[in-house]
Structures are given as C-alpha cells and as structure tokens.
Amino acid sequence: MIDLHCHIDLYPEPHLVAQECANRGIYVLSLTNTPSAWTGTSQIGSGKPRIRTAVGLHPQLAHERYRELPLLLQLLRETKYVGEVGIDGSPDLRQHVETQREVFAAILKGCAGAGGKVLSVHSRRAATEVLDLVAANPGAGKVVLHWYSGSARDLRRAVAMDCWFSVGPAMLSSDKGRALAAAMPPDRVLTESDGPFAQVNGRSVMPWDVGRAESELAEIWGVTHAAAAAQILTNFRVLVAD
Ligand code: MN
C-alpha cells in the first residue's frame, strides 16, 4: 500500500504509527508542515526505508512561518520530496494569499534549481492559482495534487500539465470526490491518508486505511481490488523513479 500524503509526526504516537507502517510494508511519504519540523520528523522514519520524509511549508502556516523559507530551500539538498506546500484560498486565509503565492513560487523555483523534486501540493480553493504558478515555474519536478477539490476544468488542465493526484478515503467518501477521481487518468493516481487531519466515521484516517481508497478506486475503474492496488504500485514506482 502507498500513503503518499501523511502527517505522521502529528499523530499522538508517531513512532508507533511508523512502526506499524513498517510492519505492514506500507510506503509512506511523511510530510512536514514547517521546515523546522524536518529534523524531528525525519528521525521518525529513520531506519525505515519505506518511509520517506518531505520538507514543506504548509500554505495555512505560510503567513506565520515565511521566515523559515530559507531553511526549506537549504533542506532541498537532503530530500527529493517536498510537501506539504501549495496555496489555500479558503475565506479565512484569503488575506494571506499573496504571501502564500510568494512562498510557493520560491519553493517551485528552488525545486527547479535543485533539478526537480516530487511535490505534494495543497490546492484547496486555489486550484487555478496553483496551476498558474506550476506553469510559470517549469522544471520544479513531479507535482502531485493532494485531495484535489477544484473544478473539472482545472482538473483537465492539471492532467494536460502532467500533474499527478493523490486521493484518500475521506475524499472518496463524497460523490464530488469520487466524480473527480473518476476523471483522473488511472496511471496518474496515488493513494493517501492525509492523517491525522482527514477523518472518516469520526476518527483520524491511518496510513493503512488507504486500502479503503484502493477499494473505491477499484470500483471507479471497474477492476478488482488487486488490479487497482497493482496499478497504484506501478504508478508509485514511476513517480519516484528518477
Ligand atoms: Mn495534509
């Protein structure tokens, strides 16, 4: 199983979650919301080769943490994975969108300068702006839109721009989320938990709950669960290959 977007450091018992992932053989992209969390979060995955740590600066924190941007750019030497980054255009964050845009653009430029990275990108209520910045900063690498919730039109644009997508049980529990997932090319789809933030049935989604997303995708694609899981694993190998 693949969990391409997990905030493993934010579970109450991150080391137990990491150990359980290792026991189950799950590939996890462990994100950070601030560059200063890098050291502690990368330790959680140390000695567990299937857990990789990404350096990020979450758009919801960009206005408070933009001073950590130089640290993020420096940490690009340490990892080929970047996230969580992006733009959040929700009403309560609209006032900070210019700061978010500056931070995200600088990160995209840094990724391009470093030869390209794999990026897990947040685009809530800002899909158009995110795609505009990705288009304006070529060479940043492979962009994975996590929990995409924008318009069908922007989704077609993202596909044309060769973006990837990660979808999880929470997204796939809504009709809108399933319709968007159905419009994504199956060879560009990965699974994610977005735990512990994402919840299903009143509890945090765990990395091993991505099996439920595999089941939903199998139904959407009209294939068996095993075939869907195999497709996602193939996608993952293409995504992380150099
Ligand atoms: Mn997230």
Side-chain angles (χ1 to χ4, degrees):
M1 289 193 287
I2 314 292
D3 183 355
L4 205 81
H5 186 108
C6 184
H7 301 273
I8 208 163
D9 58 343
L10 299 177
Y11 286 101
E13 303 272 16
H15 289 281
L16 294 181
V17 176
Q19 189 55 54
E20 184 66 20
C21 290
N23 294 348
R24 294 180 186 232
I26 304 172
Y27 291 95
V28 182
L29 186 59
S30 169
L31 304 176
T32 49
N33 284 344
T34 64
S36 52
W38 164 264
T39 303
T41 304
S42 55
Q43 277 162 7
I44 295 168
S46 105
K48 297 182 173 62
R50 292 189 176 190
I51 300 180
R52 298 295 168 91
T53 310
V55 61
L57 209 175
H58 198 292
Q60 293 170 349
L61 299 172
H63 62 288
E64 293 170 358
R65 300 299 192 101
Y66 61 89
R67 288 177 202 84
E68 292 184 35
L69 180 59
L71 176 59
L72 185 148
L73 298 175
Q74 197 182 316
L75 288 169
L76 291 177
R77 287 186 216 125
E78 309 282 326
T79 178
K80 69 185 271 193
Y81 302 98
V82 173
E84 182 161 355
V85 295
I87 300 179
D88 190 311
S90 301
D92 54 325
L93 289 163
R94 262 284 148 200
Q95 56 180 312
H96 302 303
V97 98
E98 196 46 48
T99 305
Q100 293 181 29
R101 216 181 262 131
E102 284 167 18
V103 166
F104 185 45
I107 293 169
L108 290 168
K109 283 188 178 69
C111 290
K117 302 288 179 182
V118 174
L119 298 92
S120 186
V121 176
H122 178 113
S123 60
R124 186 173 169 223
R125 300 183 83 154
T128 305
E129 284 133 309
V130 162
L131 294 175
D132 285 347
L133 280 181
V134 170
N137 293 279
K142 294 172 182 168
V143 169
V144 186
L145 297 173
H146 115 86
W147 199 334
Y148 178 83
S149 59
S151 66
R153 183 195 161 100
D154 276 330
L155 176 56
R156 286 193 296 274
R157 183 179 171 210
V159 171
M161 288 169 62
D162 209 22
C163 289
W164 297 68
F165 304 91
S166 59
V167 305
M171 170 178 172
L172 296 172
S173 67
S174 79
D175 289 340
K176 187 196 170 192
R178 282 193 297 270
L180 287 168
M184 295 168 183
D187 66 351
R188 283 290 179 270
V189 175
L190 283 306
T191 44
E192 67 168 37
S193 67
D194 199 16
F197 296 114
Q199 299 214 331
V200 170
N201 300 328
R203 67 166 184 85
S204 285
V205 177
M206 304 303 292
W208 41 93
D209 293 325
V210 297
R212 298 165 58 156
E214 290 174 350
S215 300
E216 293 281 356
L217 288 168
E219 204 174 308
I220 289 167
W221 293 339
V223 300
T224 63
H225 187 139
Q231 174 73 59
I232 294 158
L233 185 61
T234 299
N235 297 348
F236 175 70
R237 295 199 192 286
V238 173
L239 176 73
V240 302
D242 278 317

